[in-house]
Amino acid sequence: MIVLGAGVVGVTTAWYLAKAGHEVTVVDRQPAAAMETSFANAGQISPGFSSPWAEPALPVKVLRWMASRHAPMVVRPRIDFAMMRWIEQLLANCNMHDYDINKSRMLRIAQYSRDCLDALRKDTGITYDDGQRGLIQLFRTQKQVDHAARDMALLDQAGIAHEFLSPDEIARNEPGLSENRHLFTGGLRLPGDETGDCHMFTQRLAQKAEQELGVTFHYETTIEALDASATDIFGVRTSAGRMTADAYVVSMGSYSPLLLRPLGVRLPVYPTKGYSLTLPVTDAARAPLSTVCDSTHKVSITRLGDRIRIGGTAELAGYNLRLSRDRRELLELSFSELFGASGDLSQGAYWTGLRPSTPDGTPVIGPAGRFSNLWLNTGHGTLGWTMACGSGRVLSDRMSGKRTEIPCLDLSLDRYTTT
């Protein structure tokens, strides 16, 4: 089997396929695993925080954000029909009925993924600056608190532990926020959520997969095209020559639809550009202990060992990887308001990556249309790190003809062709 893409989703897929007894090869254009979107994400494994961007209030919010330099979501005007179709589908999901369905799907795969990660960690002893201290979502307004009530009802239905905290209770859980508790009206604590360095995890898992399970990795190898008949894939063309296998998995993140388009497979994935800053801790007493999510700015602040990772924002700008000054200002603003001088912003490593996002927020995991041996594991948006292990395990079980441990048929591409 050939897995196309060596980000966290591709590598976990390869791991579970190899554990199931398959001979696996991974192909990626980068010199090592996790060098693109998995490189410097927000650092949180957050099933309880899994929510689609497509919510009923989003259209009004976007109109309001258009006038703000520091808006959490930005659309860069461009002639891009793929982006226009994606936005149209996104807006079609901005109703309460679809929001509840989409969030329930996301919670299901995310919670299962955390359980798979826990089992993998115990099985392998892998470490990655990981922590299991939960997440706190901060609300600065009463409107945010009111909106969270519906999310908490969905968390109840999914069996995900959570608790509402007052500002004083938030400060007891995150002492670094004590001086700034006047900024928020309350918070939602998700004790089962975790933190960790996705890049470190993926590289170490890739090494284990190669050394312990015999997975072959072809790095610095550009994936050019898939060769296909009417019903099957019979090869993948790469810069290192043509490769063949019994089955193929596309886990190329935002670049997945570009590979599939010549085959007539319409994958509703579009890049939503995200940014992060990674800086050294300078005052441990004032730094975050785990992850704090600022609901107003849509920014997450996470402790990773002796570093702090500040991540967030969503920008629709095609495949443009240029670093934006105003996006950095937003990350710095949220961090400075909440945690002050606990980290050195002047030493922050600024990064951007393209998150492969679907209009409904749910990843695409399963077969690819009419091709009997082509499979998809992509479209995880901001939650690739959160959903990677569960997605890889689900796909491996399906490809191996095993019964999956969670319902997963509604995660496949078919949901876009049957609605």
Side-chain angles (χ1 to χ4, degrees):
M1 296 184 175
I2 294 179
V3 177
L4 304 174
V8 66
V9 173
V11 170
T12 51
T13 300
W15 173 266
Y16 286 108
L17 284 170
K19 289 284 282 186
H22 299 287
E23 183 180 338
V24 183
T25 296
V26 180
V27 185
D28 195 279
R29 65 184 177 184
Q30 295 294 342
M35 296 302 292
E36 294 195 34
T37 302
S38 300
F39 183 75
N41 62 21
Q44 62 191 72
I45 301 123
S46 49
F49 197 58
S50 300
S51 294
W53 275 86
E55 59 171 337
L58 181 65
V60 174
K61 287 181 179 180
V62 170
L63 290 175
R64 187 172 70 247
W65 290 337
M66 288 175 66
S68 173
R69 177 180 173 83
H70 296 138
M73 186 174 189
V74 174
V75 179
R76 305 293 185 191
R78 54 189 290 112
I79 300 174
D80 186 337
F81 294 110
M83 183 175 77
M84 294 176 188
R85 283 195 302 270
W86 188 88
I87 291 175
E88 181 182 8
Q89 291 174 302
L90 176 79
L91 294 175
N93 278 276
C94 289
N95 60 81
M96 194 54 70
H97 173 74
D98 287 329
Y99 177 84
D100 288 350
I101 291 174
N102 295 332
K103 185 175 177 68
S104 296
R105 288 171 175 163
M106 295 171 72
L107 289 172
R108 185 201 317 149
I109 186 65
Q111 186 177 29
Y112 176 64
S113 187
R114 185 197 57 205
D115 294 343
C116 290
L117 174 60
D118 289 345
L120 189 153
R121 188 170 55 240
K122 292 171 184 175
D123 181 45
T124 63
I126 194 170
T127 59
Y128 42 93
D129 275 346
D130 53 299
Q132 293 78 45
R133 303 188 63 159
L135 172 150
I136 295 177
Q137 183 181 6
L138 290 181
F139 306 126
R140 299 192 188 214
T141 68
Q142 186 59 44
K143 182 179 290 187
Q144 291 171 346
V145 172
D146 295 341
H147 177 76
R150 190 175 185 92
D151 282 345
M152 285 188 276
L154 293 173
L155 292 173
D156 281 331
Q157 294 173 20
I160 295 177
H162 60 280
E163 59 180 333
F164 187 83
L165 302 181
S166 67
D168 288 340
E169 289 170 328
I170 292 170
R172 282 196 289 272
N173 280 274
E174 283 284 357
L177 292 171
S178 296
E179 296 179 9
N180 297 314
R181 72 185 77 184
H182 62 282
L183 292 176
F184 38 90
T185 58
L188 176 62
R189 181 172 181 264
L190 300 153
D193 285 10
E194 303 180 5
T195 57
D197 188 319
C198 181
H199 173 71
M200 187 184 298
F201 168 86
T202 308
Q203 292 214 329
R204 291 180 177 179
L205 188 66
Q207 185 179 45
K208 286 180 177 291
E210 185 174 31
Q211 295 176 353
E212 299 175 15
L213 302 180
V215 176
T216 300
F217 286 84
H218 291 286
Y219 295 119
E220 297 184 287
T221 303
T222 302
I223 299 158
E224 297 173 348
L226 292 169
D227 293 326
S229 66
T231 57
D232 297 286
I233 304 298
F234 54 84
V236 55
R237 279 177 272 154
T238 78
S239 58
R242 191 165 172 272
M243 300 181 186
T244 61
D246 294 331
Y248 304 81
V249 180
V250 178
S251 291
M252 294 170 58
S254 296
Y255 297 90
S256 299
L258 304 185
L259 180 70
L260 295 168
R261 191 174 299 157
L263 303 180
V265 177
R266 293 187 63 179
L267 180 64
V269 167
Y270 192 81
T272 52
K273 189 176 177 183
Y275 295 84
S276 75
L277 274 171
T278 306
L279 47 136
V281 172
T282 55
D283 185 347
R286 297 179 65 188
L289 298 178
S290 188
T291 290
V292 171
C293 297
D294 183 347
S295 294
T296 297
H297 296 306
K298 306 295 185 186
V299 169
S300 296
I301 303 167
T302 299
R303 181 73 169 267
L304 298 172
D306 59 359
R307 300 167 295 149
I308 298 171
R309 174 74 49 78
I310 312 164
T313 83
E315 182 178 319
L316 296 179
Y319 291 84
N320 177 359
L321 285 167
R322 185 174 61 250
L323 290 166
S324 168
R325 177 61 205 174
D326 60 352
R327 300 293 87 197
R328 178 167 185 154
E329 289 174 356
L330 176 60
L331 299 179
E332 292 181 349
L333 172 66
S334 178
F335 176 76
S336 298
E337 288 179 344
L338 297 177
F339 289 101
S342 65
D344 188 351
L345 286 169
S346 69
Q347 298 297 312
Y350 191 31
W351 171 89
T352 188
L354 302 177
R355 311 183 191 103
S357 301
T358 60
D360 62 11
T362 311
V364 179
I365 308 169
R370 69 181 187 273
F371 299 102
S372 64
N373 61 342
L374 181 61
W375 299 80
L376 307 175
N377 197 359
T378 187
H380 297 76
T382 61
L383 296 165
W385 184 201
T386 294
M387 297 179 175
C389 288
S391 299
R393 176 62 188 275
V394 161
L395 190 67
S396 173
D397 286 347
R398 291 197 69 180
M399 293 178 70
S400 303
K402 299 178 182 177
R403 183 174 181 176
T404 60
E405 295 181 332
I406 62 169
C408 63
L409 294 181
D410 59 348
L411 303 177
S412 71
L413 187 61
D414 288 345
R415 73 179 187 270
Y416 287 98
T417 59
T418 59
T419 57

